[in-house]
Amino acid sequence: MKRFKYDNDVILAPMVRMGTLPFRLLCLDYGCDIAYSEEIVDTKLLQCRRVENPVFGTIDYVHTDGEIIFRTHPDEAERVVLQIGTAVPEQAAAVAAMMERDIAGLDINMGCPKDYSVKGGMGAALLKNPELIEQILRQCRAVFSKSLTCKIRLLPRMEDTLELVKRIETTGVDALAVHGRTKEERPRHVNNCEAIRIIASTISIPVIANGGSADVHSYEDIEKFRLACGASSVMLARAVQRNPSLFRKEGQLPREQMISDYMKKAIDFDCSYRNTKYAIQQLFGDTSTPRGQQFLATRDFREICEIFHYEKYYDEQIRLRGRDPNDQSLEDRG
Ligand code: FNR
């Protein structure tokens, strides 16, 4: 089974709300090598059934309440990594086994400091429990033959961090992503590239450096960040949330172009109004302009389309799907 080597790869980091199918495909089109999904909690996925959707050519994991929890498309099949939140090895392994055919890799979130994660014992809460980390990774490895990674933050003490990463290495993961901040540190704090460098020189599996967005303003900066961390690959979140064309070797694109490219994919894959608005708001940057204000005032998907001159295309697509473009009640499924 083919697995990623994580050798000089440039990766879209997992981002809740942002890392859904349209944005992942956009980033892959622009040149990123691997696209991580937003974090999805294991229990939610385990309540889903798999549906091959002929309307969009997608594979959907649909919750019992009808919500699409994970949507993927053959165009990303070789390059998409699903990130899950978990605190239960058996559940993580059940997700791994259930989803293996539709994803190129699986990642376990061990860095999220948000309350909803930590309270459930997931995300950064796992960092305090190396035994559980080991069990989760071993049980996933036993049933999952594709790329397996986890994404951690630094522990307050470097000795503890090194002990943890050595333990993670023994589980058979293909790579380790390291955000160079502790659970308590916020994005304004300096990312600890030196700590990532020490980790990379301590273990022999590839290390994916993360946390460097503040210093990434060009394609060349991505490689500078990798070298500063002595890492094998780089994973980017905030920098590409604002400007996914940073993934382009050929150079960056104007905002209008990126928004237009995103908009088309959001229509093609029936992205929800709320998600589309959130993603475009990030791409928009400054919304204090008259156009920005007009955008913020939109109340449904079609109104967003109107701002970016996509209403004709949207109406055509909606009619092809046998729906009425003026019926907005159908579109917002969260
Ligand atoms: C994140 N981050 C994050 N991390 C994770 O492991 N799973 C997730 O679902 C999310 N969600 C998320 C949403 C948004 C909007 C942001 C900005 C960030 C953290 C992210 O992957 C990354 O670790 C940090 O943002 C640091 O990397 P950058 O931004 O400096 O490249």
Side-chain angles (χ1 to χ4, degrees), residues 31 39 61 155 176 183 216-217 241 245 248 251 270 308 332:
E39 179 202 54
Y61 282 82
L155 293 168
L176 169 70
K183 176 162 87 66
V216 173
H217 308 287
Q241 181 182 32
S245 72
R248 279 169 50 91
D270 206 33
F308 300 107
D332 190 357

Side-chain angles (χ1 to χ4, degrees), residues 12-19 37-40 83 107-114 116 151-153 178-181 187 191 209-216 225 234-242 278 282:
L12 171 66
M15 276 188 279
V16 164
R17 290 177 86 187
M18 202 71 200
S37 75
E38 61 177 342
E39 179 202 54
I40 307 178
Q83 187 192 60
D107 180 79
I108 312 291
N109 184 348
M110 301 184 178
C112 182
K114 298 263 157 61
Y116 68 86
K151 176 165 174 280
I152 64 164
R153 282 179 177 246
V178 183
H179 179 180
R181 294 186 178 86
N191 196 52
N210 175 242
S213 271
D215 295 320
V216 173
F225 176 53
V234 167
M235 174 183 265
L236 293 173
R238 287 163 303 149
V240 293
Q241 181 182 32
R242 294 184 293 262
Y278 175 77
Q282 309 308 313

Side-chain angles (χ1 to χ4, degrees), residues 97-109:
M98 173 177 93
M99 307 212 39
E100 178 158 16
R101 62 194 283 203
D102 295 321
I103 53 180
L106 180 76
D107 180 79
I108 312 291
N109 184 348

Side-chain angles (χ1 to χ4, degrees), residues 190-201:
V190 174
N191 196 52
N192 192 340
C193 294
E194 189 50 31
I196 301 178
R197 171 182 284 284
I198 295 170
I199 292 168
S201 64

